């Protein structure tokens, strides 16, 4: 038995066999892989840019499609699931494309998400602005070049489809803050779905630090792509996303109900779809162009009810219902469906109902997973059992655009269970189990020794039982993170699981896990996120900032505090705009909106003061505030935990926290 090593390994004979069987089952020609999605992704091209490189203001390279040059190969490598290979190749088709000739254009492949330009009477409407400013600028340049038109000075409105950062983060690359406003004043309105502001903040700030760390596993941030590495993020290409500058501009119009607007002569119908792919989301329909924008509700993948980076679980039932509503409302009047990721689907002579099929099959798979999970749960199956048992009907399995490149059936079924029944299976043995590290130590102790566990785990690895080999070895890693053999063995098992995975994000997670086991982790830290976080945290409403302040206060340190005070937020003229009563009590920050007649100490100042406390620089703000509890405020500030620019905590090994046993 060797001690293993840090090298990435080739596909094992088991993995090769599974890939071959997969290809046969799905009629993929391994030598010349192609499918309908790959054809669609490359069709209707105006200008290709598969070798695009994007730099930031400092001249650093932040996006280089050359990194993905290996995807030009037609032959499926044995280290990549054949279906995922096709998805990755499709995502690699970058450039400017038309959706409706001369009317609707998309830039794809310069960002995880698409940027879409829709022609109005005298200019353009922009649908979503991508993740980062540099890519948005590049997209605008490409569109202007490809169309031979000045778009930049003719933007009539921006519509942001939903509250995820890959759809608004690039906005400053499209328009400047000073241009935003009411169209009556000659300015550019920004339309967003109701709830956008709260949701964009609560999703990317409240749990943001943990999500960024976990996001590295989902997106393989910083990992050089390759046939033994990341090949795609499922939704698009995304390994370098974090390097760009992400931005935020306060929207001018929240769409609160389904309605029709005329924007610079173009009719636009809004269909709100709250609680679907994002808590705040909406679709649009363009009757003059017979085109339906499905936001991110339908894309060319089975989506996530729960992304493994962590998020609130989404409601797959409502998601399906709104998609059915769209089908009913727009299906007969639509020739093309396009969205914020991936490529459009058009009705054609060969497939006159392609659009309706696309919407129906998307709605059906979401509903199927929802319903069958609950049926199985009601028959006593646990989350994990359901994930192993649920089987998608053949008819839906054959549709490439709902294959599990991003979301998976297994995780989605667990998400449905969690939404209705929570994490707990009902078995009290699992009500409050030992910590991961204690469990691991006891496991090793029961088996006899680390060597004995690893001996058995190696047999399983060599027999192709990768999941169990990884599970067993991970007990040793958690019991003793210094055990290199355990780390290498676990890594080798995860790597084969990664090679086999059809889901891009499962592949990323397995391969990043393997890398962090081999080299220690996190190997790369996802810097650039900070720009976006501060752009957005500094623009949070006071209520949301206070909510965040409560989250970062170390409750144990503040345990004995009992401080109640009035917070008055002043506007530019010094008037009190907002008033709160705050009560730091038993480690929690209780927040009461509004006024009270109580005699209370007070803190009065501009909106930025909460942000200053969060940044631990209240002292610098001393001139701008009035208060009779300055010393107490400094004490509160001292309880603020600095979560750092990015989280560095380990995921693939124990944290060495205090254990019980
Ligand atoms: Zn997105």
């Amino acid at each position: 038995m060797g001690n293993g090593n840090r090298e990435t390994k080739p596909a094992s004979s088991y993995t090769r066999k599974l890939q071959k069987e997969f290809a046969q089952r799905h009629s993929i020609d391994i030598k010349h892989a192609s499918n309908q999605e790959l054809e669609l992704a490359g069709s209707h091209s105006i200008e290709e840019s598969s070798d695009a490189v994007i730099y930031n203001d400092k001249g650093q390279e932040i996006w280089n499609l050359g990194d993905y040059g290996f995807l030009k190969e037609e032959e499926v490598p044995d280290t990549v699931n054949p279906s995922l290979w096709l998805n990755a190749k499709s995502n690699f088709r970058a450039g400017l494309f038309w959706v409706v000739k001369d009317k609707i254009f998309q830039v794809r492949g310069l960002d995880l998400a698409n940027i879409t330009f829709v022609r109005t009477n005298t200019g353009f409407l922009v649908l979503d602005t991508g993740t980062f400013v540099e890519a948005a600028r590049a997209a605008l340049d490409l569109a202007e070049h490809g169309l031979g038109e000045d778009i930049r000075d003719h933007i009539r409105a921006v519509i942001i489809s939903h509250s995820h950062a890959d759809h608004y983060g690039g906005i400053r690359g499209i328009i400047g803050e000073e241009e935003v406003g009411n169209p009556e004043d000659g300015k550019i309105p920004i339309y967003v779905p109701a709830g956008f502001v709260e949701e964009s903040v609560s999703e990317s700030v409240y749990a943001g630090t943990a999500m960024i760390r976990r996001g590295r596993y989902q997106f393989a941030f910083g990992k050089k792509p390759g046939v033994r590495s990341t090949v795609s993020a499922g939704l698009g290409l995304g390994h370098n996303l974090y390097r760009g500058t992400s931005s935020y501009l306060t929207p001018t119009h929240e769409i609160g109900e389904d309605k029709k607007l005329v924007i610079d002569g173009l009719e636009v119908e809004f269909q709100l779809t709250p609680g679907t792919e994002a808590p705040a989301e909406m679709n649009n329909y363009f009757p003059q162009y017979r085109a339906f924008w499905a936001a991110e509700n339908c894309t060319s993948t089975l989506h996530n009810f729960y992304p493994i980076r962590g998020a609130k679980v989404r409601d797959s039932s409502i998601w399906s219902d709104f998609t059915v509503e769209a089908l009913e409302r727009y299906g007969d009047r639509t020739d093309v469906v396009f969205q914020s990721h991936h490529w459009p689907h058009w009705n054609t002579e060969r497939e006159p109902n392609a659009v309706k099929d696309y919407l129906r099959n998307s709605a059906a798979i979401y509903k199927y997973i929802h319903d069958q999970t609950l049926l199985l749960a009601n028959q006593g199956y646990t989350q994990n059992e359901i994930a192993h048992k649920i089987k998608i009907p053949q008819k839906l399995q054959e549709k490439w655009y709902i294959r599990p490149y991003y979301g998976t059936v297994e995780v989605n079924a667990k998400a449905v269970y969690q939404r209705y029944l929570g994490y707990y299976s009902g078995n009290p043995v699992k009500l409050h189990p030992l910590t991961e590290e204690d469990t691991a130590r006891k496991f090793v102790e029961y088996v006899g020794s680390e060597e004995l566990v690893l001996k058995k785990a190696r047999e399983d690895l060599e027999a192709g039982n990768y999941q169990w080999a990884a599970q067993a070895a991970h007990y040793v890693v958690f019991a003793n993170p210094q055990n290199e053999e355990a780390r290498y063995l676990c890594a080798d098992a995860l790597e084969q699981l990664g090679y086999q995975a059809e889901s891009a994000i499962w592949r990323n997670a397995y391969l990043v896990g393997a890398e962090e086991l081999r080299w220690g982790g996190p190997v790369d830290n996802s810097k650039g996120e900070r720009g976006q976080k501060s752009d957005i945290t500094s623009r949070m409403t006071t209520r949301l900032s206070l909510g965040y302040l409560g989250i970062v206060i170390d409750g144990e340190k503040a345990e004995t505090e009992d401080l109640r005070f009035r917070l008055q937020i002043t506007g530019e003229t010094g008037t009190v705009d907002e008033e709160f009563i705050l009560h730091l009590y038993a480690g929690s920050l209780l927040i009461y909106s509004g006024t009270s007649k109580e005699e209370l100490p007070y803190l009065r100042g501009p909106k930025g003061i909460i942000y200053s406390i969060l940044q631990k620089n209240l002292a610098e703000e001393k001139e701008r505030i009035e208060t009779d509890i300055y010393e107490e405020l400094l004490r509160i500030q001292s309880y603020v935990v600095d979560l750092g620019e990015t989280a560095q905590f380990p995921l693939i090994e124990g944290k060495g926290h205090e254990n019980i046993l």
Side-chain angles (χ1 to χ4, degrees):
M1 177 168 36
N3 285 323
N5 61 50
R6 284 179 162 156
E7 301 300 309
T8 58
K9 310 296 184 297
S12 70
S13 58
Y14 300 100
T15 297
R16 290 202 304 274
K17 181 164 173 279
L18 282 172
Q19 313 285 43
K20 208 176 260 173
E21 286 167 3
F22 186 104
Q24 271 162 3
R25 206 160 55 245
H26 295 277
S27 311
I28 298 171
D29 177 351
I30 292 260
K31 293 271 178 226
H32 308 282
S34 185
N35 69 1
Q36 194 195 8
E37 297 306 298
L38 181 58
E39 284 164 25
L40 286 173
S43 74
H44 303 76
S45 168
I46 299 168
E47 188 167 333
E48 289 259 356
S49 61
S50 288
D51 46 7
V53 185
I54 301 173
Y55 300 92
N56 66 13
D57 291 342
K58 292 181 201 126
Q60 293 159 324
E61 178 188 299
I62 51 175
W63 191 263
N64 187 344
L65 285 175
D67 291 349
Y68 290 95
F70 63 91
L71 287 170
K72 289 180 180 154
E73 284 299 317
E74 280 183 31
E75 185 171 352
V76 186
D78 56 13
T79 50
V80 183
N81 174 287
S83 170
L84 176 58
W85 183 250
L86 285 165
N87 164 269
K89 282 175 73 71
S90 306
N91 282 324
F92 180 57
R93 297 308 299 261
L96 176 69
F97 301 86
W98 57 267
V99 176
V100 174
K101 193 143 182 102
D102 296 328
K103 302 297 182 193
I104 304 181
F105 314 91
Q106 278 191 321
V107 174
R108 302 199 292 264
L110 300 192
D111 189 305
L112 177 69
N114 301 336
I115 298 184
T116 306
F117 302 93
V118 183
R119 196 181 289 285
T120 60
N121 255 0
T122 66
F124 293 88
L125 174 71
V126 181
L127 288 176
D128 285 359
T129 61
T131 317
F132 55 99
V133 175
E134 296 85 349
R137 254 183 233 139
L140 201 50
D141 288 344
L142 178 64
E144 291 195 331
H145 187 262
L147 301 180
E149 294 182 59
D150 172 12
I151 298 176
R152 198 179 304 269
D153 299 323
H154 296 86
I155 294 171
R156 303 300 177 224
V158 174
I159 297 180
I160 306 289
S161 63
H162 64 289
S163 52
H164 292 153
D166 54 326
H167 302 275
Y168 63 78
I171 193 157
R172 284 178 191 269
I174 301 285
I175 51 173
E177 191 157 22
E178 65 295 341
E179 297 172 87
V180 177
N182 271 315
E184 301 89 71
D185 308 325
K187 302 241 165 174
I188 303 169
I190 304 174
Y191 296 96
V192 297
F196 174 87
V197 177
E198 287 73 15
E199 296 301 343
S200 56
V201 171
S202 68
E203 176 143 344
S204 58
V205 176
Y206 280 9
T209 313
M211 280 183 195
I212 290 169
R213 175 70 182 108
R214 297 167 53 132
R216 174 157 202 266
Y217 276 67
Q218 176 166 332
F219 291 106
F221 290 145
K223 210 166 152 49
K224 190 171 165 45
V227 296
R228 291 190 190 178
S229 178
T230 180
V231 296
S232 159
L235 273 185
L237 306 176
H239 77 293
N240 273 351
L241 263 191
Y242 66 93
R243 289 190 185 161
T245 308
S246 198
S247 63
Y248 182 81
L249 289 177
T250 306
T252 56
H253 296 72
E254 277 211 347
I255 302 291
E257 55 184 2
D258 289 6
K259 61 162 74 168
K260 295 176 192 178
L261 292 179
V262 178
I263 300 174
D264 186 32
L266 179 71
E267 288 171 50
V268 186
E269 294 187 28
F270 290 82
Q271 183 204 6
L272 281 168
T273 65
T276 52
E277 189 267 330
E281 186 148 356
M282 59 186 179
N283 297 328
N284 288 108
Y285 177 69
F286 300 93
Q288 285 142 287
Y289 302 151
R290 294 181 58 88
F292 177 63
W293 163 257
E296 196 168 326
N297 283 311
C298 304
T299 52
S300 295
T301 173
L302 173 63
H303 212 291
N304 279 308
F305 302 169
Y306 166 81
I308 56 174
R309 69 173 157 87
K312 291 179 199 163
V313 168
R314 298 158 185 172
D315 186 343
S316 47
S317 171
I318 281 198
W319 196 338
S320 172
D321 289 350
F322 277 122
T323 305
V324 169
E325 184 182 89
L327 172 64
E328 292 295 305
R329 209 184 274 182
Y330 309 116
D332 287 332
R333 304 190 273 147
T334 301
D335 298 330
V336 59
V337 54
F338 63 115
Q339 58 281 316
S340 59
H341 294 272
H342 301 134
W343 37 90
H345 289 75
W346 291 268
N347 287 337
T348 59
E349 234 161 75
R350 208 177 46 156
E351 274 192 274
N353 293 312
V355 170
K356 286 204 273 186
D357 288 346
Y358 177 79
L359 295 175
R360 187 181 304 105
N361 287 321
S362 299
I365 195 166
Y366 293 6
K367 193 67 169 32
Y368 183 88
I369 297 171
H370 173 271
D371 290 353
Q372 296 306 307
T373 298
L374 293 181
L375 177 60
L376 290 166
N378 281 318
Q379 292 173 296
Y381 292 95
T382 65
Q383 271 188 50
N384 196 37
E385 287 166 344
I386 294 168
H388 282 275
K389 189 171 168 64
I390 193 165
K391 194 170 166 292
I392 298 300
Q394 193 57 35
K395 192 180 228 159
L396 298 178
Q397 283 204 37
E398 288 167 2
K399 303 295 173 198
W400 290 109
Y401 51 73
I402 42 175
R403 293 297 305 175
Y405 302 120
Y406 196 45
T408 60
V409 177
E410 293 85 349
V411 168
N412 282 348
K414 287 179 182 171
V416 173
Y417 187 102
Q418 195 205 316
R419 188 170 175 90
Y420 284 87
L421 294 162
Y423 82 94
Y424 174 52
S425 66
N427 176 348
V429 170
K430 304 199 173 160
L431 199 48
H432 188 52
L434 298 182
T435 65
E436 282 75 1
E437 282 161 281
D438 281 343
T439 304
R441 277 193 277 272
K442 290 308 270 182
F443 179 85
V444 172
E445 186 189 315
Y446 272 38
V447 173
S449 70
E450 292 175 14
E451 291 69 37
L452 282 171
V453 177
L454 293 180
K455 183 172 176 290
K456 301 292 276 180
R458 183 157 298 281
E459 285 165 21
D460 271 306
L461 181 79
E462 279 159 12
N465 300 325
Y466 300 121
Q467 178 58 39
W468 179 249
Q471 277 178 251
H474 119 285
Y475 282 127
V476 181
V477 174
F478 267 71
N480 174 15
Q482 318 304 332
N483 188 321
E484 282 193 344
E485 191 188 343
R487 297 181 74 104
Y488 297 154
L489 201 159
C490 190
D492 288 352
L494 290 181
E495 188 167 66
Q496 296 300 319
L497 290 173
Y499 293 165
Q500 293 169 13
E502 187 179 6
S503 164
I505 64 176
W506 279 29
R507 177 184 176 93
N508 289 343
Y510 289 132
L511 297 185
V512 170
E515 183 182 65
E516 293 193 1
L517 280 164
R518 287 168 178 155
W519 298 96
V523 172
D524 179 272
N525 41 43
S526 313
K527 296 173 194 91
E529 292 282 345
R530 172 139 180 141
Q532 175 238 333
K533 224 175 137 189
S534 32
D535 209 9
I536 201 169
T537 37
S538 58
R539 279 172 170 73
M540 281 197 277
T541 63
T542 312
R543 178 85 209 187
L544 287 166
S545 313
L546 290 170
Y548 189 59
L549 179 60
I551 290 166
V552 295
I553 284 179
D554 184 329
E556 280 184 37
K557 287 191 182 142
E559 173 172 42
T560 57
E561 291 286 351
D562 190 353
L563 174 67
R564 194 173 160 88
F565 65 99
R566 193 185 308 280
L567 171 68
Q568 295 181 320
I569 301 294
T570 53
E572 277 170 25
T573 54
T575 52
V576 174
D577 283 358
E578 293 177 278
E579 196 160 344
F580 299 87
I581 308 291
L582 299 185
H583 192 180
L584 181 60
Y585 170 77
S588 4
L589 185 67
L590 305 176
I591 307 163
Y592 306 83
S593 296
T595 53
S596 140
K597 291 198 173 61
E598 278 174 90
E599 270 297 312
L600 284 174
Y602 71 100
L603 165 62
R604 191 177 302 137
K607 199 176 151 197
I609 47 178
I610 304 304
Y611 187 62
S612 308
I613 298 176
L614 285 168
Q615 298 291 312
K616 289 181 173 263
N617 62 6
L618 189 65
E620 287 171 32
E621 300 288 313
K622 208 173 169 188
E623 303 301 304
R624 300 206 298 152
I625 61 174
E626 290 171 56
T627 182
D628 51 3
I629 45 167
Y630 186 71
E631 291 307 314
E632 287 87 343
L633 292 172
L634 287 180
R635 209 165 63 231
I636 294 182
Q637 180 176 273
S638 75
Y639 302 138
V640 171
V641 177
D642 180 10
L643 292 173
E645 283 197 23
T646 50
Q648 301 287 328
F649 54 78
L651 285 170
I652 197 73
E653 60 193 85
K655 287 156 200 65
H657 291 167
E658 209 174 303
N659 287 288
I660 316 300
L661 285 179

